[in-house]
Amino acid sequence: NATAGNITGGNETPRLWSLGATYVNGPLGIGLAYERHTDMGANVPGAQDLDDRAWGVAASYRFGPVRVGATYLNAKYETGPGMNLKKRTWGLGADWNVAGPHTVSAYYSRAGDSKGNSTVGIGGNGGAAPSGKNTGGEAWSLAYQYAFSKRTTLKLGYVRVDNDSNTNTYRIGNTGALLDNGEAVDGWAFLVKHNF
């Protein structure tokens, strides 16, 4: 629970509540999370009592050399007086330790259309377009990892992000905003990790 001070607008006590739990037993792992923002509409004139909430679940299971996992997130934002925006996203992934130091990974995720009656979106990478059809997007990635030792790994990967025809919200990392709706971006990643 956090209280913000000196926020512009009519909010006296905007608050953020966050709760999470994990369970791990052998090859099974499960995570649950819930977050709520109350009275967070400080910068929306006449809408100081706006609330947001989101809950999500993640699970993974290891089948010998293969680990599979899935995530689901359900979010709702109050974007103005009488306006709300709902967004659901999900993802599936797998890591396969092919042999010895070689591991191959694949991941796919999908953001559904923005639901509700909001005429404004949620800013930032991974935000949401205003409510409407074809306002989602998808991403997929493939990667190869080589373990030189338990402490040092090298990873090479490719990722592609596709926006639906009525949004340009989704992109890779903190790259610049996309200009055109329906635009796709892709990129290569190279990572060397060493644990000291």
Side-chain angles (χ1 to χ4, degrees):
N1 177 13
T3 302
N6 301 322
I7 294 182
T8 60
N11 303 54
E12 293 183 6
T13 55
R15 297 183 185 275
L16 183 148
W17 301 85
S18 186
L19 178 67
T22 58
Y23 171 81
V24 178
N25 186 0
L28 175 66
I30 299 173
L32 299 170
Y34 176 82
E35 186 164 297
R36 182 172 182 85
H37 305 164
T38 59
D39 297 340
M40 298 299 283
N43 296 315
V44 181
Q48 286 79 22
D49 297 324
L50 302 182
D51 300 337
D52 305 324
R53 65 103 181 118
W55 66 270
V57 60
S60 68
Y61 194 88
R62 182 175 291 281
F63 301 90
V66 177
R67 182 179 64 194
V68 296
T71 62
Y72 175 79
L73 180 67
N74 184 317
K76 179 180 179 183
Y77 309 91
E78 292 179 352
T79 59
M83 290 194 306
N84 66 70
L85 188 152
K86 300 173 185 174
K87 198 72 170 181
R88 295 179 181 171
T89 59
W90 60 270
L92 296 171
D95 292 330
W96 176 28
N97 181 227
V98 180
H102 308 282
T103 300
V104 176
S105 303
Y107 186 75
Y108 175 82
S109 62
R110 174 78 190 157
D113 287 345
S114 297
K115 304 290 186 182
N117 62 353
S118 180
T119 58
V120 297
I122 305 299
N125 185 19
S131 302
K133 293 184 178 180
N134 299 314
T135 53
E138 63 183 4
W140 61 269
S141 66
L142 293 171
Y144 165 76
Q145 179 175 288
Y146 183 86
F148 290 99
S149 68
K150 290 182 179 181
R151 297 172 56 195
T152 306
T153 58
L154 178 148
K155 192 170 192 176
L156 177 65
Y158 174 80
V159 62
R160 180 179 172 92
V161 177
D162 292 299
N163 285 279
D164 288 351
S165 58
N166 289 328
T167 187
N168 61 359
T169 301
Y170 305 103
R171 55 190 192 270
I172 298 172
N174 290 323
T175 56
L178 303 178
L179 300 178
D180 300 318
N181 286 344
E183 194 170 347
V185 292
D186 63 351
W188 290 91
F190 180 74
L191 171 68
V192 176
K193 182 170 76 171
H194 180 77
N195 294 320
F196 292 94

